[in-house]
Amino acid sequence: MLPAAEPPATEARGHIALVGAGPGARDLLTLRAAQRLREADVIFYDRLVDPALLHLARTGARRVYVGKEVGRNAWPQAHIDRLIVAEARKGRRVVRLKSGDPSVFGRAAEEIAAARAAGIEPEIVPGITAASAAAAAIRVPLTERGETDCFAVTTGLCRPGDPAPDRSLLARPGTALAIYMGIGKAAEIEAAMLAAGAPAECPVDIVSCVSTGRERHASATLASLSETLRREALPGPAILFLRHPKSLSGRRAGGASRAA
Amino acid sequence: MLPAAEPPATEARGHIALVGAGPGARDLLTLRAAQRLREADVIFYDRLVDPALLHLARTGARRVYVGKEVGRNAWPQAHIDRLIVAEARKGRRVVRLKSGDPSVFGRAAEEIAAARAAGIEPEIVPGITAASAAAAAIRVPLTERGETDCFAVTTGLCRPGDPAPDRSLLARPGTALAIYMGIGKAAEIEAAMLAAGAPAECPVDIVSCVSTGRERHASATLASLSETLRREALPGPAILFLRHPKSLSGRRAGGASRAA
């Protein structure tokens, strides 16, 4: 294979992989993600990705920080999309390394669309999402037989102008809910969920900087969520993990919840 | 350290790790999970775990198949719990290797409780859950900015006697839903969701044996889900991945969905 300065995209298309870096800890990367990093010519990485992961790449690989800060737009998404595609069209193997799982609040749809518009079908390498790592860290499963049969992830932050996500889910017995990027909206979330009928006693765990050396954990109930966050001053990123176990409503109703 | 035939649990406690094996592909294991397999003295593994993963273990490590079949009870959960704890109490490093993520429909709560009852705090190593791998395989994210702001996992199968999980979630615009173990209940799920107000046109993807050599994929709408499954005869395990994007309801309401 001869190196070509600017090969036509139809002749020597590169490869684009959106790769999940996992929640933080280096060893929560998958073997496939590690392999893609080793093969990469250029890696675009996020603010929340541990830079130590980049040591897996070849010495000659380019590493480009596209550090998206929550609520800032130093690197607008459309600019990142263009950069990724431009590198791939030079025939390079591009890795877009994203914290967590690219499919969960990862702006993957835009990057997939940009790649396809350039005639490249991207590969997605899934990653451990923060909710899964948080559940593992505190040893509280996301689902529990007979207690929670539905587990949902949603977000505290939305696109400006979009309505807030549904806050009534927790009112249903049997639901567990992980909220990403929710710390700044905790008071609002707590009030909306209580108003929607979720029991005040619903257990809540807050797991901050999950799987990193700075990991912290606090427990609360729905009614004490925002007060607990104020007191504990847990830094983001954090997962709010709320549960409405069936037995909680059973106890509230007088205890005989399992009488067919 | 002298080997003791049956050391007191308080003296030489072993280690119990519930380890996520990921959705099927060997290289979707995390580095940490691979490490735990290498360190294990005994590994209890499931029906859906790729036996090739066991090659990571030491030659002398015991491998015990506790193959739970859906709907069968050859290895009742309580029996598995007892075995794990008994091995750990001998001072051994026990890995309970579970397909997917131990925290998602993995019966982890029972095994955590059993370990704690024996005075052992278990470790949980998260794994890639099938919904995440399915989304990656078909390149359709679990959440999409402006389209789906809530993603839920639920199940087709419940404990005998338990009520079916809520089937009304998909009625809300902005929701994506992955149903595990849903193939056998697809007709029931389709009818219940339509009855609850979910649009017939909601896109549905069925991903069978995700990330394995036998992976298959079919697309449908909510209204054609059970018919598509009959026609395509996709084998389990499979993920039903249903979506109600906001723009779908916008189009139904006449198109002007984004007018604040």
Side-chain angles (χ1 to χ4, degrees), chain B residues 199-240:
Chain B
E201 310 90 316
C202 283
V204 182
D205 288 279
I206 308 115
V207 188
S208 167
C209 302
V210 63
S211 87
T212 74
R214 291 159 288 120
E215 179 179 297
R216 286 179 60 195
H217 170 221
S219 292
T221 62
L222 178 56
S224 70
L225 168 59
S226 55
E227 181 204 313
T228 303
L229 280 172
R230 262 196 306 275
R231 194 181 56 233
E232 302 280 342
L234 295 175
I239 292 290
L240 309 181

Short mmCIF file of all heavy atoms in Angstrom, two decimals, chain B residues 199-240:
data_model
loop_
_atom_site.label_atom_id
_atom_site.label_comp_id
_atom_site.label_asym_id
_atom_site.label_seq_id
_atom_site.Cartn_x
_atom_site.Cartn_y
_atom_site.Cartn_z
N PRO B 199 -47.72 4.78 19.47
CA PRO B 199 -48.05 4.80 18.04
C PRO B 199 -47.66 3.50 17.34
O PRO B 199 -46.60 2.93 17.62
CB PRO B 199 -47.20 5.96 17.49
CG PRO B 199 -46.86 6.80 18.69
CD PRO B 199 -46.80 5.85 19.84
N ALA B 200 -48.51 3.06 16.44
CA ALA B 200 -48.26 1.83 15.67
C ALA B 200 -46.97 1.93 14.88
O ALA B 200 -46.31 0.93 14.62
CB ALA B 200 -49.43 1.57 14.72
N GLU B 201 -46.57 3.16 14.49
CA GLU B 201 -45.38 3.34 13.64
C GLU B 201 -44.07 3.37 14.42
O GLU B 201 -43.01 3.57 13.82
CB GLU B 201 -45.47 4.68 12.88
CG GLU B 201 -46.76 4.94 12.14
CD GLU B 201 -47.79 5.66 13.00
OE1 GLU B 201 -47.95 5.27 14.20
OE2 GLU B 201 -48.42 6.59 12.50
N CYS B 202 -44.10 3.22 15.74
CA CYS B 202 -42.84 3.22 16.50
C CYS B 202 -41.86 2.22 15.89
O CYS B 202 -42.21 1.06 15.70
CB CYS B 202 -43.09 2.83 17.96
SG CYS B 202 -43.80 4.15 18.94
N PRO B 203 -40.64 2.66 15.58
CA PRO B 203 -39.68 1.70 15.03
C PRO B 203 -39.23 0.69 16.07
O PRO B 203 -39.06 1.03 17.24
CB PRO B 203 -38.51 2.58 14.57
CG PRO B 203 -38.67 3.86 15.30
CD PRO B 203 -40.12 4.02 15.64
N VAL B 204 -39.07 -0.55 15.63
CA VAL B 204 -38.62 -1.63 16.51
C VAL B 204 -37.50 -2.37 15.80
O VAL B 204 -37.60 -2.67 14.62
CB VAL B 204 -39.76 -2.64 16.81
CG1 VAL B 204 -39.26 -3.72 17.77
CG2 VAL B 204 -40.97 -1.94 17.37
N ASP B 205 -36.42 -2.63 16.51
CA ASP B 205 -35.37 -3.50 15.99
C ASP B 205 -35.28 -4.72 16.89
O ASP B 205 -35.34 -4.60 18.12
CB ASP B 205 -34.03 -2.75 15.94
CG ASP B 205 -34.03 -1.71 14.83
OD1 ASP B 205 -33.81 -2.10 13.68
OD2 ASP B 205 -34.29 -0.53 15.13
N ILE B 206 -35.14 -5.85 16.27
CA ILE B 206 -34.95 -7.10 17.02
C ILE B 206 -33.53 -7.56 16.73
O ILE B 206 -33.16 -7.74 15.57
CB ILE B 206 -35.95 -8.18 16.58
CG1 ILE B 206 -37.37 -7.63 16.63
CG2 ILE B 206 -35.78 -9.43 17.45
CD1 ILE B 206 -38.06 -7.53 15.29
N VAL B 207 -32.73 -7.68 17.78
CA VAL B 207 -31.35 -8.12 17.60
C VAL B 207 -31.18 -9.41 18.38
O VAL B 207 -31.33 -9.45 19.61
CB VAL B 207 -30.34 -7.06 18.07
CG1 VAL B 207 -28.92 -7.48 17.68
CG2 VAL B 207 -30.65 -5.69 17.44
N SER B 208 -30.87 -10.45 17.67
CA SER B 208 -30.80 -11.79 18.22
C SER B 208 -29.34 -12.22 18.35
O SER B 208 -28.54 -11.94 17.46
CB SER B 208 -31.58 -12.70 17.27
OG SER B 208 -31.35 -14.05 17.53
N CYS B 209 -29.01 -12.88 19.45
CA CYS B 209 -27.65 -13.42 19.67
C CYS B 209 -26.60 -12.33 19.43
O CYS B 209 -25.59 -12.57 18.76
CB CYS B 209 -27.38 -14.61 18.77
SG CYS B 209 -28.55 -15.94 19.00
N VAL B 210 -26.84 -11.15 19.99
CA VAL B 210 -26.01 -9.98 19.70
C VAL B 210 -24.54 -10.24 20.00
O VAL B 210 -24.19 -10.87 21.00
CB VAL B 210 -26.53 -8.74 20.48
CG1 VAL B 210 -26.45 -8.91 21.98
CG2 VAL B 210 -25.80 -7.48 20.04
N SER B 211 -23.72 -9.80 19.10
CA SER B 211 -22.25 -9.81 19.19
C SER B 211 -21.63 -11.20 19.02
O SER B 211 -20.43 -11.35 19.11
CB SER B 211 -21.75 -9.16 20.49
OG SER B 211 -21.69 -10.09 21.56
N THR B 212 -22.47 -12.20 18.76
CA THR B 212 -21.92 -13.55 18.51
C THR B 212 -21.90 -13.80 17.01
O THR B 212 -22.42 -13.02 16.22
CB THR B 212 -22.80 -14.63 19.17
OG1 THR B 212 -24.01 -14.76 18.41
CG2 THR B 212 -23.14 -14.28 20.60
N GLY B 213 -21.35 -14.92 16.62
CA GLY B 213 -21.32 -15.31 15.20
C GLY B 213 -22.71 -15.58 14.65
O GLY B 213 -22.91 -15.60 13.43
N ARG B 214 -23.66 -15.79 15.53
CA ARG B 214 -25.03 -16.07 15.09
C ARG B 214 -25.93 -14.83 15.14
O ARG B 214 -27.15 -14.93 15.04
CB ARG B 214 -25.65 -17.16 15.99
CG ARG B 214 -25.02 -18.54 15.80
CD ARG B 214 -25.29 -19.43 17.01
NE ARG B 214 -24.50 -18.99 18.17
CZ ARG B 214 -24.99 -18.60 19.34
NH1 ARG B 214 -26.27 -18.62 19.56
NH2 ARG B 214 -24.18 -18.18 20.31
N GLU B 215 -25.34 -13.65 15.31
CA GLU B 215 -26.15 -12.43 15.42
C GLU B 215 -27.05 -12.25 14.21
O GLU B 215 -26.62 -12.41 13.08
CB GLU B 215 -25.22 -11.21 15.57
CG GLU B 215 -25.99 -9.89 15.67
CD GLU B 215 -25.05 -8.68 15.85
OE1 GLU B 215 -24.36 -8.62 16.87
OE2 GLU B 215 -25.01 -7.83 14.94
N ARG B 216 -28.30 -11.90 14.49
CA ARG B 216 -29.24 -11.55 13.41
C ARG B 216 -30.03 -10.32 13.82
O ARG B 216 -30.21 -10.04 14.99
CB ARG B 216 -30.19 -12.72 13.11
CG ARG B 216 -29.50 -13.85 12.35
CD ARG B 216 -30.45 -14.99 12.09
NE ARG B 216 -31.60 -14.55 11.28
CZ ARG B 216 -32.73 -15.25 11.13
NH1 ARG B 216 -32.86 -16.40 11.75
NH2 ARG B 216 -33.72 -14.79 10.40
N HIS B 217 -30.52 -9.61 12.80
CA HIS B 217 -31.21 -8.35 13.03
C HIS B 217 -32.41 -8.25 12.09
O HIS B 217 -32.30 -8.57 10.92
CB HIS B 217 -30.23 -7.19 12.79
CG HIS B 217 -30.87 -5.84 12.76
ND1 HIS B 217 -30.53 -4.86 11.86
CD2 HIS B 217 -31.86 -5.31 13.53
CE1 HIS B 217 -31.27 -3.78 12.07
NE2 HIS B 217 -32.07 -4.03 13.08
N ALA B 218 -33.53 -7.81 12.64
CA ALA B 218 -34.69 -7.51 11.80
C ALA B 218 -35.30 -6.20 12.27
O ALA B 218 -35.21 -5.86 13.46
CB ALA B 218 -35.72 -8.64 11.89
N SER B 219 -35.89 -5.47 11.33
CA SER B 219 -36.56 -4.22 11.67
C SER B 219 -38.06 -4.37 11.48
O SER B 219 -38.51 -5.10 10.61
CB SER B 219 -36.04 -3.08 10.78
OG SER B 219 -34.70 -2.80 11.10
N ALA B 220 -38.80 -3.65 12.28
CA ALA B 220 -40.26 -3.71 12.21
C ALA B 220 -40.81 -2.40 12.75
O ALA B 220 -40.05 -1.46 13.03
CB ALA B 220 -40.77 -4.89 13.04
N THR B 221 -42.11 -2.34 12.84
CA THR B 221 -42.74 -1.28 13.62
C THR B 221 -43.47 -1.97 14.78
O THR B 221 -43.58 -3.21 14.79
CB THR B 221 -43.78 -0.50 12.80
OG1 THR B 221 -44.81 -1.42 12.39
CG2 THR B 221 -43.14 0.15 11.57
N LEU B 222 -43.96 -1.18 15.72
CA LEU B 222 -44.67 -1.79 16.83
C LEU B 222 -45.81 -2.66 16.32
O LEU B 222 -46.01 -3.80 16.77
CB LEU B 222 -45.20 -0.70 17.78
CG LEU B 222 -46.01 -1.20 18.97
CD1 LEU B 222 -45.24 -2.22 19.80
CD2 LEU B 222 -46.47 -0.04 19.84
N ALA B 223 -46.55 -2.15 15.32
CA ALA B 223 -47.72 -2.89 14.84
C ALA B 223 -47.34 -4.17 14.10
O ALA B 223 -48.16 -5.08 13.96
CB ALA B 223 -48.57 -1.99 13.94
N SER B 224 -46.12 -4.23 13.58
CA SER B 224 -45.73 -5.43 12.82
C SER B 224 -44.73 -6.29 13.59
O SER B 224 -44.13 -7.20 13.02
CB SER B 224 -45.15 -5.03 11.46
OG SER B 224 -43.88 -4.40 11.62
N LEU B 225 -44.55 -6.01 14.88
CA LEU B 225 -43.52 -6.71 15.65
C LEU B 225 -43.72 -8.23 15.69
O LEU B 225 -42.85 -9.00 15.29
CB LEU B 225 -43.47 -6.15 17.08
CG LEU B 225 -42.66 -6.93 18.12
CD1 LEU B 225 -41.21 -7.07 17.69
CD2 LEU B 225 -42.74 -6.29 19.50
N SER B 226 -44.89 -8.66 16.14
CA SER B 226 -45.06 -10.10 16.33
C SER B 226 -45.11 -10.81 14.98
O SER B 226 -44.59 -11.92 14.83
CB SER B 226 -46.28 -10.40 17.19
OG SER B 226 -47.43 -9.80 16.66
N GLU B 227 -45.68 -10.16 13.98
CA GLU B 227 -45.72 -10.75 12.63
C GLU B 227 -44.29 -10.90 12.09
O GLU B 227 -43.94 -11.92 11.49
CB GLU B 227 -46.54 -9.82 11.72
CG GLU B 227 -46.71 -10.31 10.31
CD GLU B 227 -46.98 -9.13 9.37
OE1 GLU B 227 -47.85 -8.29 9.72
OE2 GLU B 227 -46.31 -9.04 8.32
N THR B 228 -43.46 -9.87 12.31
CA THR B 228 -42.07 -9.93 11.84
C THR B 228 -41.31 -11.05 12.53
O THR B 228 -40.55 -11.79 11.90
CB THR B 228 -41.36 -8.57 12.11
OG1 THR B 228 -42.12 -7.54 11.47
CG2 THR B 228 -39.94 -8.57 11.57
N LEU B 229 -41.53 -11.19 13.83
CA LEU B 229 -40.85 -12.27 14.56
C LEU B 229 -41.27 -13.64 14.04
O LEU B 229 -40.45 -14.55 13.92
CB LEU B 229 -41.16 -12.15 16.05
CG LEU B 229 -40.32 -11.11 16.80
CD1 LEU B 229 -40.83 -10.94 18.21
CD2 LEU B 229 -38.85 -11.54 16.83
N ARG B 230 -42.56 -13.79 13.75
CA ARG B 230 -43.04 -15.07 13.20
C ARG B 230 -42.37 -15.36 11.86
O ARG B 230 -41.89 -16.46 11.61
CB ARG B 230 -44.56 -15.03 13.00
CG ARG B 230 -45.34 -15.68 14.12
CD ARG B 230 -46.77 -15.97 13.72
NE ARG B 230 -47.45 -14.76 13.21
CZ ARG B 230 -48.05 -13.85 14.00
NH1 ARG B 230 -48.04 -14.00 15.31
NH2 ARG B 230 -48.63 -12.80 13.47
N ARG B 231 -42.31 -14.32 11.01
CA ARG B 231 -41.76 -14.51 9.67
C ARG B 231 -40.26 -14.79 9.71
O ARG B 231 -39.76 -15.66 9.01
CB ARG B 231 -42.03 -13.23 8.85
CG ARG B 231 -41.83 -13.42 7.36
CD ARG B 231 -42.07 -12.11 6.62
NE ARG B 231 -41.23 -11.03 7.13
CZ ARG B 231 -41.68 -9.84 7.54
NH1 ARG B 231 -42.98 -9.57 7.53
NH2 ARG B 231 -40.83 -8.93 7.97
N GLU B 232 -39.55 -14.04 10.55
CA GLU B 232 -38.09 -14.13 10.55
C GLU B 232 -37.58 -15.27 11.43
O GLU B 232 -36.44 -15.70 11.30
CB GLU B 232 -37.46 -12.81 11.02
CG GLU B 232 -37.87 -11.60 10.18
CD GLU B 232 -37.06 -11.51 8.89
OE1 GLU B 232 -36.00 -12.16 8.81
OE2 GLU B 232 -37.51 -10.81 7.96
N ALA B 233 -38.41 -15.72 12.33
CA ALA B 233 -38.03 -16.83 13.23
C ALA B 233 -36.68 -16.61 13.89
O ALA B 233 -35.80 -17.47 13.86
CB ALA B 233 -38.05 -18.16 12.48
N LEU B 234 -36.49 -15.42 14.44
CA LEU B 234 -35.23 -15.11 15.12
C LEU B 234 -35.14 -15.89 16.43
O LEU B 234 -36.09 -15.89 17.21
CB LEU B 234 -35.15 -13.60 15.43
CG LEU B 234 -35.09 -12.68 14.22
CD1 LEU B 234 -35.13 -11.21 14.67
CD2 LEU B 234 -33.85 -12.93 13.39
N PRO B 235 -34.01 -16.53 16.67
CA PRO B 235 -33.88 -17.28 17.92
C PRO B 235 -33.53 -16.37 19.09
O PRO B 235 -32.98 -15.28 18.90
CB PRO B 235 -32.71 -18.22 17.63
CG PRO B 235 -31.86 -17.46 16.66
CD PRO B 235 -32.81 -16.61 15.83
N GLY B 236 -33.82 -16.81 20.31
CA GLY B 236 -33.37 -16.09 21.50
C GLY B 236 -31.96 -16.48 21.84
O GLY B 236 -31.45 -17.45 21.27
N PRO B 237 -31.28 -15.78 22.70
CA PRO B 237 -31.76 -14.56 23.34
C PRO B 237 -31.76 -13.40 22.36
O PRO B 237 -30.92 -13.31 21.48
CB PRO B 237 -30.73 -14.32 24.45
CG PRO B 237 -29.47 -14.95 23.94
CD PRO B 237 -29.91 -16.14 23.13
N ALA B 238 -32.74 -12.52 22.55
CA ALA B 238 -32.85 -11.37 21.67
C ALA B 238 -33.29 -10.15 22.46
O ALA B 238 -33.92 -10.27 23.51
CB ALA B 238 -33.85 -11.64 20.56
N ILE B 239 -32.92 -9.01 21.93
CA ILE B 239 -33.36 -7.73 22.48
C ILE B 239 -34.42 -7.15 21.54
O ILE B 239 -34.21 -7.10 20.32
CB ILE B 239 -32.17 -6.75 22.56
CG1 ILE B 239 -31.15 -7.21 23.62
CG2 ILE B 239 -32.62 -5.32 22.85
CD1 ILE B 239 -31.64 -7.10 25.04
N LEU B 240 -35.55 -6.76 22.10
CA LEU B 240 -36.51 -5.96 21.35
C LEU B 240 -36.22 -4.50 21.70
O LEU B 240 -36.30 -4.12 22.86
CB LEU B 240 -37.96 -6.29 21.75
CG LEU B 240 -38.36 -7.77 21.74
CD1 LEU B 240 -39.83 -7.90 22.15
CD2 LEU B 240 -38.14 -8.38 20.37
#
